[in-house]
Every structure is written in structure tokens, then in C-alpha cells.
Amino acid sequence: MSHWAQDAVFYHVYPLGALGAPARNDFSSAPQARLEELHAWLEPLQALGVTAFYFGPAFESTAHGYDTADYYRVDRRLGDDAALARWSKALHGRGMRLVLDAVFNHVGRDFWAFRDVQRNGAHSPYAGWFHLDFGRRSPCGDPFYYEGWNGHYDLVKLNTSHPGVKEHLFGAVRHWIEAYEIDGLRLDAADVLDKGFQQELATFCRTLRPDFWLLGEVIHGDYKGWAGPHMLDSVTNYELYKGLYSSHNDRNYFELAHSLNRQFGSGGLYRDLSLYTFLDNHDVERIASRLKRSSHLYPLHALLFTVPGVPSLYYGSEWGMLGKKAHNSDAPLRPAFHPQAGPRQGTEPDLAAAVSRFARLRRAHPALREGGYRQLHVSAEQFAFLRSCQDEQLVVAVNASDEPVEIRLPIEEHGASQLVDVLNDGERFSVMGGEAVVTLYPSWARVLKLA
């Protein structure tokens, strides 16, 4: 039996940006009602084909959410515990899932235990919660040095091997499951988070909920180092992300084909994993800004929903929303957003409808969710592959050219007499001599069922 996440279509929401929260927390204001806006999101996003939310960070923090101050309190700029619980109940009532951001590698300087160390130094009962050196000063002027994340000293690295830290963080997870009925976690900075801690966390979570899903943020490395039995369920597929956009910008589907063969082809490294597939997120430029040609948004999203993996949409990008990093700021990647208001001027008004078609297709065809992968055709701007499972076989073919193109697909070993396009009104192509000649629309896709 497959895990629920294998069938999911995720929608990634960065709430502090999407809900227009202030850039910094004053730690004194009453909770704001911004989470209530999310109830109006559910109907349009369910119509889009979304079945799960990756949401966060959501807990009390100093600024951007990854500088946690309190794991047991919803960020007052968003709302309170009751508001998050109400929204979770509403989306679960629609059969949708909720995965929260778990920022366990580091905390902010306003984290209560770090504040105690600032006050009491080496005598603090929480000194062991961090990696401290009382023989030198920190870059922030503290009378001790501490490890920060990636050179950022507003992010204080936790000692996740400390029993007190584990008890505190595991207690937070238990609270989130009990209070908000969450279905999973995305582990921030999993590529630098202690793997022993991750394994213990995985065991703890699955003791509470056997179907709990754990996703790790991993930028580089062998993904099997994090995902697999007794470990995380999935990791962010940054290798495929890079191939997806650059193969279009460079008019070079060979790059994408190489990545897919390496990962999921015969003998592929990750054939047994459902990796998390995305085109953009809160840390990288919006895909509409990354692409050289907006027409490529269509074959690119077709690929997102048909290649092996768990597809995820970053909020607003289903409209072709633009966003590039500013100098020393990710704020342009994380703007306020109202999906019920419709597309903004200058975006791609037809893209959301196309995304909805791709999502419906994925939901209707098990081969797209759980099938194997085999390359059938690759050229500079055309690409085709087979997804097959016990019940069906589908050929996915995309064209990045502005012109219609004819390609030949080898079908001989599959015993089919025709190909039926389940994406484009059932158009049919005959198989003759073990081969099908298929015409591809400009900047579009075909999904062909072998019959």
C-alpha cells in the first residue's frame, strides 16, 4: 500500500509573507487574525488540485520564522493556537493534509533558553543546549562564542544530541500532532542536522502516527543518506529542480533526461523513493522569473506532474507570479497573496487552468503517481518517456519549441495498437511497425495511454 504522500499534490505556503505579516515581531502585540484568511484559500486551491499543504514556519520567531523564539506558540503575527487548529480542522474536513515546517537545527537569539545563557553564562542550565565557547566573544558581542547556521549569527545552532533539547523538540512535535492534527513535517536544513537525531525523530513520530510523513531539506549529496527505511520518507529533489528549469533555458532536454535516468531509470539511485519535486520555493527565484520564455511554463508544469516524485506548487506560481531576490533579501520571493482574487496583471492567466488539468490527470492515472520510468525519446527541445505500472502504461511527451514538431516513439515491445491522448481530448495515434508518429503542439505536452 502506498503512502498518502505519494498520491499528494502539495501547495507550499510561506505564511509570514503570504499573509502580509510585519517583517519583525515586537513580542508584545496581541495575536493578529491573519490565519483566518486561509479559510478563503481552501476552495480555489482544492479546485486547482491541491491535496496537501506544506506550511511554515508558523511558530513564534524574531523575523523570518527560521529564527524560532518559542516552538510551543504560534507566531503572534499570524494568530494563535486556536486559529491554526481551526484552519487545520477545516482543511482536513476537505480531505486535505497539513505538513508543518520543523526548524530544529537552529533557533533565534530570542529563543528563551539562549536568553537564559545570555543572562547566566556558563551557569545557565541550558548552556549545554548550544555549542558554546566561553573563551571568546561572539560576532554579536556576547561574552561567549556560539555556532551559527552557515555563518548567520542570528541563527544559533542547537545541540540536538543533548537530552534536554531532544525532550523539548519531541515534546513540541507531540503538541503539534495533538493540537493541530498535522500529517507530517518538513525538516529545515536536514543536510546539516544530525542524522542520529533525525532517525530518533522519525521513530518517535511514527510511534505517534504510523502514516506520519517526514521530508528533509537537502540541497546536495546522496539522497539515500537521509531517506529510506527507519529514516525520512523523502527529501527535496534539488538535482531535478535544476535540470527542469535549465533544460528549458538552454534548449537542452538532454540534461533533464540525464538526471531522470540517473535517479529513476533502470538501476536508478532513487527508484524506491518518492522525492519532493518542485519548480521554485521560498529560497529560490520564482520559476516565471527564472525562465527565459514564459511559454515554457506549460511544458515545465506538465513535467512537474508526470515525472517520478511528489509534486509541489509554491504559492502564486500557478499564476506565473514573478519574483527575484533583492540585495540581501528574500522578501520579493515571499509576497502577500490572495488566491481567491484571481491572477495579477502581468502574470499568466491561463497557467492555473493548465495546472489543474495536469493535477487531475495525475490523480486519475496511477502510472503517473507510482509507475516506473523509462526514456523513449530525447532531443534538444523534445522529450518523451514511459510511466508504467501493473494497471496502465502512459507515454509523456513535451515540446519546448514554438513550432509543432513530429517525433517517432518506439512502442514495439508494449503490444499496443494505438496511443490515446488523455490530456488533449482523446486524440489517437496508430502504432505501426512498433512505432508511433506523434505530432506535438508548441510549448505543450501529450500524455498518451497505450491501448
Side-chain angles (χ1 to χ4, degrees):
M1 183 177 179
S2 65
H3 196 282
W4 64 260
Q6 191 170 344
D7 297 329
V9 172
F10 272 89
Y11 198 77
H12 172 191
V13 179
Y14 175 79
L16 290 170
L19 299 177
R24 296 191 69 84
N25 193 337
D26 63 8
F27 294 108
S28 61
S29 297
Q32 302 301 300
R34 291 185 173 89
L35 285 172
E36 302 301 329
E37 298 176 25
L38 294 171
H39 293 269
W41 290 37
L42 295 181
E43 186 169 341
L45 294 182
Q46 192 164 37
L48 187 66
V50 172
T51 65
F53 283 82
Y54 154 37
F55 184 80
F59 297 100
E60 191 87 300
S61 70
T62 302
H64 45 68
Y66 292 97
D67 47 358
T68 309
D70 189 340
Y71 289 104
Y72 288 76
R73 176 173 181 159
V74 170
D75 196 302
R76 70 188 66 227
R77 293 170 290 172
L78 300 174
D80 57 19
D81 274 19
L84 183 55
R86 283 193 299 272
W87 181 60
S88 176
K89 183 177 181 180
L91 66 90
H92 281 106
R94 291 175 174 263
M96 304 169 88
R97 304 275 188 164
L98 178 61
V99 170
L100 293 183
D101 223 335
V103 189
F104 291 160
N105 181 68
H106 47 260
V107 295
R109 286 173 54 83
D110 288 309
F111 183 60
W112 60 272
F114 186 73
R115 286 295 194 198
D116 192 89
V117 174
Q118 289 177 314
R119 289 191 299 269
N120 299 305
H123 299 292
S124 170
Y126 306 106
W129 284 34
F130 310 98
H131 301 271
L132 306 177
D133 180 354
F134 288 95
R136 51 185 176 140
R137 301 181 70 86
S138 79
C140 297
D142 304 287
F144 54 85
Y145 181 84
Y146 60 88
E147 289 187 28
W149 173 80
N150 201 27
H152 297 280
Y153 288 92
D154 58 332
L155 302 176
V156 185
K157 184 172 177 59
L158 281 170
N159 177 10
T160 52
S161 64
H162 190 284
V165 171
K166 286 191 282 191
E167 181 182 6
H168 186 73
L169 297 181
F170 288 12
V173 173
R174 182 188 294 275
H175 169 65
W176 299 344
I177 292 174
E178 293 174 351
Y180 319 123
E181 299 183 333
I182 63 170
D183 301 283
L185 294 173
R186 177 263 195 187
L187 297 185
D188 181 65
D191 47 4
V192 294
L193 183 63
D194 180 74
K195 288 185 179 179
F197 170 83
Q198 294 183 53
Q199 290 175 330
E200 288 185 59
L201 177 64
T203 300
F204 174 78
C205 291
R206 289 167 189 144
T207 299
L208 298 178
R209 278 195 57 174
D211 68 341
F212 201 78
W213 188 66
L214 288 168
L215 166 69
E217 181 196 22
V218 176
I219 311 298
H220 304 292
D222 181 353
Y223 297 148
K224 290 186 294 185
W226 291 269
H230 312 297
M231 301 169 67
L232 308 184
D233 297 288
S234 184
V235 299
T236 50
N237 195 344
Y238 267 90
E239 177 188 342
L240 189 58
Y241 153 73
K242 196 275 179 182
L244 282 165
Y245 76 77
S246 62
S247 64
H248 287 82
N249 281 345
D250 298 339
R251 301 189 179 194
N252 179 23
Y253 271 140
F254 291 95
E255 178 187 357
L256 178 59
H258 174 77
S259 289
L260 286 167
N261 282 331
R262 177 181 178 274
Q263 294 190 336
F264 306 113
S266 177
L269 293 173
Y270 311 127
R271 293 181 68 190
D272 298 327
L273 296 177
S274 292
L275 302 180
Y276 185 82
T277 310
F278 60 97
L279 302 178
D280 51 8
N281 59 35
H282 64 302
D283 288 326
V284 300
E285 291 184 344
R286 293 271 178 173
I287 189 59
S289 292
R290 176 80 73 175
L291 290 177
K292 295 178 180 178
R293 294 163 55 193
S294 61
S295 60
H296 284 163
L297 286 166
Y298 295 88
L300 189 56
H301 278 84
L303 288 164
L304 175 69
F305 284 90
T306 58
V307 299
V310 179
S312 177
L313 299 161
Y314 183 46
Y315 79 95
S317 285
E318 72 274 16
W319 291 346
M321 182 183 289
L322 301 172
K324 290 188 175 184
K325 292 190 178 189
H327 177 67
N328 203 31
S329 173
D330 290 334
L333 311 176
R334 311 167 177 181
F337 181 64
H338 304 282
Q340 66 276 21
R344 298 178 180 180
Q345 186 175 2
T347 58
E348 285 287 322
D350 298 327
L351 183 59
V355 166
S356 181
R357 289 172 67 182
F358 301 145
R360 288 197 303 270
L361 204 65
R362 185 177 187 275
R363 183 168 61 248
H365 294 280
L368 297 179
R369 303 192 305 274
E370 59 194 50
Y373 169 88
R374 187 165 74 85
Q375 179 182 305
L376 295 181
H377 173 92
V378 61
S379 58
E381 294 185 283
Q382 291 78 43
F383 180 42
F385 52 89
L386 180 74
R387 300 296 310 279
S388 58
C389 64
Q390 184 175 357
D391 298 326
E392 67 176 356
Q393 295 176 311
L394 295 175
V395 173
V396 178
V398 291
N399 180 20
S401 170
D402 288 333
E403 302 294 332
V405 176
E406 189 176 88
I407 64 172
R408 295 178 178 272
L409 298 174
I411 308 295
E412 70 277 356
E413 63 192 72
H414 304 290
S417 61
Q418 61 179 345
L419 303 179
V420 182
D421 192 338
V422 294
L423 175 63
N424 299 293
D425 301 322
E427 295 181 42
R428 295 172 182 266
F429 300 89
S430 297
V431 178
M432 300 181 65
E435 186 177 71
V437 179
V438 176
T439 301
L440 303 181
Y441 294 114
S443 299
W444 191 242
R446 288 194 185 275
V447 180
L448 305 156
K449 186 169 184 176
L450 277 64

